[in-house]
Amino acid sequence: KAGVTQTPRYLIKTRGQQVTLSCSPISGHRSVSWYQQTPGQGLQFLFEYFSETQRNKGNFPGRFSGRQFSNSRSEMNVSTLELGDSALYLCASSLNNEGQETQYFGPGTRLLVL
Amino acid sequence: AQSVAQPEDQVNVAEGNPLTVKCTYSVSGNPYLFWYVQYPNRGLQFLLKYITGDNLVKGSYGFEAEFNKSQTSFHLKKPSALVSDSALYFCAVRAPTDSWGKFQFGAGTQVVVTP
């Protein structure tokens, strides 16, 4: 079974631009979570989608948004990019994201904002 | 609220020596505990998890972890470290009542194994 895939793997943008990142979960998984990883803040939860609905949201500004499609693929969008948005963005999938289920992570998208 | 702490930013160990990465948690009720490893420029890879039952959990790549309820700890161990074990290790916790909730990750511990 194929793992979680993320595209693109690397991205360079300038301040003020917007960016869209894509995540394809493991086949059969309906939950997709997004995380931002930076050296200073570690892993921070962005949001989680299940059956095309956002179920959980972390403490990020409204510039960060996402969506999930009927095939469980998810996209994350960041508008009006700031230098501080430079990070590794990770997505993780699980069946239903309940209790003892494991979250499986993709390789991440490394975003550099200049 | 749940939380997890990894008290060591970095652990240095010589190849062949035992490796221990510490994790303590705070959660209401019995926790679900996870360990992940991250190699440079890669995503997190699942190592093992504790759900219930035997306090000693065996996982991938020869790693194991011991759940200690009285000390609220879930330390990761490997009897004989390899240079290839050098990576960033994350402990994560989820409360059983926190259905479809987010994982709470620790800050991570950098493991450096020297030849």
Side-chain angles (χ1 to χ4, degrees):
Chain A
K1 193 181 268 190
V4 179
T5 59
Q6 292 186 246
T7 57
R9 291 294 310 278
Y10 302 93
L11 210 47
I12 299 176
K13 293 286 187 179
T14 56
R15 280 181 298 173
Q17 288 187 308
Q18 76 166 20
V19 67
T20 299
L21 312 181
S22 181
C23 172
S24 292
I26 291 171
S27 177
H29 285 190
R30 297 190 293 171
S31 168
V32 174
S33 298
W34 288 90
Y35 295 86
Q36 182 196 66
Q37 185 180 18
T38 58
Q41 299 297 318
L43 275 165
Q44 292 188 284
F45 173 75
L46 281 156
F47 29 64
E48 184 243 0
Y49 285 87
F50 179 82
S51 292
E52 302 179 66
T53 300
Q54 187 182 89
R55 287 198 304 193
N56 268 309
K57 190 176 188 306
N59 297 320
F60 278 81
R63 300 185 297 107
F64 292 82
S65 63
R67 59 177 175 169
Q68 187 181 34
F69 302 94
S70 58
N71 62 358
S72 294
R73 189 178 69 86
S74 177
E75 287 183 347
M76 189 191 101
N77 186 75
V78 187
S79 62
T80 320
L81 284 166
E82 300 177 0
L83 294 179
D85 296 333
S86 295
L88 181 65
Y89 290 88
L90 295 164
C91 100
S93 79
S94 61
L95 279 169
N96 301 299
N97 198 26
E98 290 181 335
Q100 59 184 278
E101 288 181 25
T102 300
Q103 285 192 344
Y104 294 93
F105 285 79
T109 294
R110 185 163 295 282
L111 172 65
L112 177 61
V113 181
L114 302 176
Chain B
Q2 62 200 38
S3 65
V4 60
Q6 294 180 242
E8 300 159 317
D9 292 337
Q10 182 165 314
V11 169
N12 298 299
V13 62
E15 188 174 33
N17 282 0
L19 169 63
T20 298
V21 187
K22 296 179 180 177
C23 171
T24 59
Y25 66 89
S26 174
V27 70
S28 300
N30 296 317
Y32 298 132
L33 295 157
F34 302 77
W35 274 104
Y36 288 84
V37 60
Q38 185 179 35
Y39 297 98
N41 297 314
R42 303 282 294 276
L44 275 66
Q45 294 180 30
F46 169 70
L47 281 177
L48 50 80
K49 66 181 176 182
Y50 172 81
I51 304 302
T52 187
D54 194 348
N55 290 342
L56 186 63
V57 180
K58 294 189 182 298
S60 305
Y61 312 120
F63 284 94
E64 58 188 29
E66 186 168 9
F67 171 65
N68 188 317
K69 188 172 183 177
S70 62
Q71 296 186 3
T72 62
S73 68
F74 188 55
H75 300 333
L76 181 70
K77 300 180 181 182
K78 187 171 184 179
S80 178
L82 301 172
V83 172
S84 57
D85 293 328
S86 298
L88 187 58
Y89 290 79
F90 290 95
C91 180
V93 66
R94 172 191 279 162
T97 54
D98 195 13
S99 61
W100 46 266
K102 58 184 182 290
F103 279 46
Q104 184 68 49
F105 282 91
T109 298
Q110 184 70 48
V111 169
V112 178
V113 182
T114 52

